[in-house]
Amino acid sequence: MTHIPKIKIRVPGTSANLGPGFDLMGMALKIYNDFEFTFPKEKGYSIVQKNGEPLPFSSKEDLVREAYEDYFQHFLPNVEIPTYHCKMALSLPLKGGLGSSASAIVAGLCVAREVHKRKETKISIPTEKEFLQFLAEWEGHPDNTLPAYLGGLVFAYSINKEPLRYFRKKFPSSVSLFILTPHLHISTEESRKTLPAQYPTADVIFNLSRIGAWMHFLDKRKFSDLLVALEDKMHTPYRIYENSPLKPITEVLEQERIGYCLSGSGPSLLLFTERKHTSNIFPKLQKQIETKMKELSISYSFQKIQADHLGTKISSF
């Protein structure tokens, strides 16, 4: 039997939508989930956290295994699937809007491909184009999985199983990024139920114009263009509604002219400031957020973060 080495996979977190780019845009961030796979002779899956804490999900919610087995069913039908032992180090909050599900999907598909390379050498490995297509279709939209795999800021679409189209850009270093994560659990599935089945034409045109503003910002790198580019009428107003606990926070950000967007379906917010002004803005912003969160009796984390331009890293031993 072919020996399969230990495989380590590091997947960055992601922030999807980026304001108007609902299901189309996302960017990778320097916060990671790490997965270490070994393949013992004994059959059966086992999965643990490296820190010894209980898993934050049930076996039915194990997207790593689900994606792993789907790869075999799609690319290696009728081949016996090797089972594994997986150790995880999870830094991404579950249901926090930072791509924890995407990290699991990417890890599962990537480890399956690595096993394919070593165990089934007579069966063609999917091309990168085929792999990206499968990755994009697996979750149904590519705004989390593609930036998690590729790194950078990614605009991608594949509708009705048409060929995947995407482009990738580096996020400008002239802008500082922060992540504010209220300790609230929001299900993407439940959050999607708050969205309307149809939108007014004016709202669709508004969002299209803001996608154009994103392209202009990435080209010219003017912070004032980014503030326009982050505006959205198709998902943010329905998820940060009038009585939402996030509403008072966004009001503070708007007063201070700090760019923000809901990260995925939330509750995390991705914040943007001009790097040259960050040292002046940050202490005041930190204090304002602390005051608001105390008023709302919500615990939270607030940290400076950077864009990840490298994407998923795979190593074997």
Side-chain angles (χ1 to χ4, degrees):
M1 181 177 177
T2 304
H3 171 68
I4 304 171
K6 180 190 294 184
I7 298 170
K8 291 185 177 182
I9 298 177
R10 164 167 276 201
V11 187
T14 50
S15 184
N17 302 325
L18 300 179
F22 185 53
D23 282 357
L24 299 172
M25 291 178 66
M27 66 184 295
L29 303 170
K30 287 187 176 181
I31 178 172
Y32 303 95
N33 278 351
D34 289 286
F35 306 84
E36 181 181 293
F37 298 89
T38 54
F39 300 85
K41 293 180 181 179
E42 301 80 14
K43 289 186 178 181
Y45 293 96
S46 64
I47 184 167
V48 296
Q49 287 206 79
K50 283 188 175 182
N51 61 12
E53 293 182 3
L55 293 172
F57 53 85
S58 69
S59 58
K60 292 181 180 179
E61 299 172 307
D62 186 353
L63 291 175
V64 177
R65 177 176 172 179
E66 189 177 345
Y68 175 78
E69 292 183 339
D70 273 3
Y71 177 99
F72 278 86
Q73 290 164 10
H74 186 82
F75 294 110
L76 297 168
N78 305 316
V79 169
E80 183 180 3
I81 303 175
T83 56
Y84 57 70
H85 174 67
C86 178
K87 289 182 181 179
M88 297 180 172
L90 305 177
S91 297
L92 301 176
L94 201 68
K95 298 180 180 178
L98 291 173
S100 61
S101 294
S103 77
I105 294 164
V106 170
L109 295 181
C110 285
V111 73
R113 183 176 58 175
E114 293 301 306
V115 172
H116 182 174
K117 290 177 183 177
R118 291 163 174 80
K119 186 174 183 296
E120 301 296 336
T121 56
K122 294 182 180 180
I123 302 175
S124 297
I125 298 164
T127 64
E128 187 71 353
K129 182 178 180 180
E130 290 169 335
F131 185 77
L132 286 172
Q133 184 80 35
F134 189 64
L135 179 62
E137 291 176 355
W138 204 95
E139 196 179 25
H141 41 87
D143 55 338
N144 268 316
T145 51
L146 252 66
Y149 177 71
L150 295 170
L153 187 153
V154 178
F155 183 95
Y157 60 95
S158 177
I159 300 169
N160 297 326
K161 295 190 176 182
E162 68 183 3
L164 175 70
R165 293 176 174 86
Y166 72 92
F167 70 79
R168 180 164 61 108
K169 296 281 188 179
K170 279 191 173 183
F171 188 78
S173 59
S174 58
V175 177
S176 294
L177 300 172
F178 300 86
I179 282 287
L180 170 62
T181 303
H183 295 159
L184 307 166
H185 288 299
I186 295 180
S187 162
T188 301
E189 184 179 346
E190 290 301 314
S191 184
R192 280 183 175 270
K193 292 178 183 178
T194 67
L195 302 178
Q198 296 179 325
Y199 291 95
T201 301
D203 287 355
V204 175
I205 294 172
F206 180 95
N207 271 43
L208 289 172
S209 72
R210 270 49 185 181
I211 294 287
W214 258 111
M215 301 306 105
H216 191 64
F217 162 69
L218 292 171
D219 181 33
K220 302 298 182 182
R221 305 191 173 200
K222 287 178 60 179
F223 189 74
S224 57
D225 291 331
L226 176 60
L227 293 178
V228 175
L230 291 165
E231 294 173 346
D232 164 53
K233 288 193 175 183
M234 293 185 69
H235 82 103
T236 307
Y238 301 97
R239 289 167 167 169
I240 306 180
Y241 45 87
E242 195 58 39
N243 295 320
S244 164
L246 295 177
K247 188 69 173 178
I249 299 298
T250 61
E251 289 172 350
V252 169
L253 299 175
E254 288 166 6
Q255 288 169 7
E256 299 295 329
R257 284 186 59 77
I258 292 170
Y260 74 90
C261 62
L262 196 63
S263 187
S265 59
S268 294
L269 293 170
L270 184 61
L271 278 51
F272 305 78
T273 64
E274 280 190 278
R275 185 175 296 277
K276 63 184 179 182
H277 298 314
T278 297
S279 59
N280 295 327
I281 291 172
F282 184 71
K284 180 182 178 182
L285 175 62
Q286 201 170 26
K287 187 64 179 177
Q288 287 175 310
I289 289 173
E290 181 183 5
T291 300
K292 282 294 180 185
M293 287 303 194
K294 280 184 178 178
E295 289 175 3
L296 296 166
S297 299
I298 297 174
S299 62
Y300 69 98
S301 62
F302 181 55
Q303 62 180 310
K304 190 173 182 180
I305 201 162
Q306 293 178 303
D308 177 287
H309 300 298
L310 299 177
T312 296
K313 296 178 183 177
I314 303 169
S315 53
S316 58
F317 304 86

